Every structure is written in C-alpha cells, then in structure tokens.
Amino acid sequence: VFLASCDQGQRLQELAESTLQQTVEDPGHLKVIGISEPDSAFGTAYFTMHEVNGMIVLMNQVSDTIMRRTNNMTEFHPDDLYVMGMAERQMKAVSEIRSLMHNSGKKGDWSGWKVKVDYQSRDRNGIDYRAERWFFIDKEGNHVIKTFEIPIP
C-alpha cells in the first residue's frame, strides 16, 4: 500500500476540492464537510469491501428517506424537488455501485490515488443536498480521471 507524503496528500486533496468546486451546480453554496486522506487506488472500480459496505448503507438510508417522505410511495408528488433530486442522484449512484460490486475483489495494479469528499451544496432547483464524491487521481497526482457521487440523506 502506498501512502502519500504530507505535501503530496494535501495537493491531492486540493485537486479533489478544486474539481468539486468546478463541477457542482451552485459553487457559491458549496460547503466541504470533510476530505479523506488520499489512499492508493488499484483501478477506478476497486474498493475494499468496507468501502462498498459503507456505500450500500448510505444507499439504504437514501431509500428509507425517500420512502418516509413519500409514505412508501403512496403519497409521491413529482413536484417534490427534494425527493426528485435525491432519487436522481440515487439512480446514478446505484448504477456505479452495481459495477463496483461486479468488479469488487478484482484488484488491479496501482493506478494512482482516491480521495473522498463529503460536502453539501445546492442543486439547479435551489434545493440543498449532501453527498460524498469519490475522486480517482492519476499516479502523478495531476489529473482527476474519474469521479462518482453517492447521495447522503
């Protein structure tokens, strides 16, 4: 396992945060809650079972939140922008998690770094939301090569 030096680790975290700033819909409302220490990446689809389990727990919490808010979908209202935004983010994340679960345990060669950023922001409809976004960064620490996001209820 490779560990980033303090200077390199900080640079990787800054790259992830800068990329996040450039990609959220409303950067003026971005608030970073936490940034993980950079960790070695072994491809862009490899996560430890602990990390995958954490993602599954979050997705279950998102489903529970949507079900509570819609009374188990019996009181679903398409004009509820909070539910619609969370459901959209959840569907994108589920697709990524399925791919991860299919590839979990298939550890490739060291490919660079991964950094997770927990944050809150505002979507295009003006609704505040929270999420964690994973950033995969090349070996040299210069470029983000992939990201994906998991909503946090």
Side-chain angles (χ1 to χ4, degrees), residues 67-112:
M67 290 304 188
R68 272 194 311 276
R69 192 160 172 128
T70 63
N71 194 19
N72 291 321
M73 299 304 278
T74 62
E75 297 174 14
F76 172 74
H77 299 287
D79 57 338
D80 183 339
L81 298 177
Y82 178 80
V83 167
M84 295 302 291
M86 184 175 282
E88 180 181 341
R89 287 187 296 280
Q90 181 186 36
M91 285 187 272
K92 288 177 185 175
V94 164
S95 175
E96 190 68 38
I97 289 172
R98 277 192 189 130
S99 173
L100 293 175
M101 291 185 75
H102 177 70
N103 292 315
S104 65
K106 297 178 183 173
K107 187 175 183 179
D109 294 332
W110 181 67
S111 59

Side-chain angles (χ1 to χ4, degrees), residues 31 53 58 69:
K31 178 180 177 188
N53 287 336
L58 276 177
R69 192 160 172 128

Side-chain angles (χ1 to χ4, degrees), residues 91-134:
M91 285 187 272
K92 288 177 185 175
V94 164
S95 175
E96 190 68 38
I97 289 172
R98 277 192 189 130
S99 173
L100 293 175
M101 291 185 75
H102 177 70
N103 292 315
S104 65
K106 297 178 183 173
K107 187 175 183 179
D109 294 332
W110 181 67
S111 59
W113 307 98
K114 61 184 174 184
V115 175
K116 181 182 75 158
V117 180
D118 290 352
Y119 72 96
Q120 74 180 49
S121 192
R122 188 166 287 167
D123 69 15
R124 67 186 171 277
N125 295 309
I127 305 298
D128 291 336
Y129 70 95
R130 292 180 54 211
E132 68 179 32
R133 189 173 300 178
W134 290 83

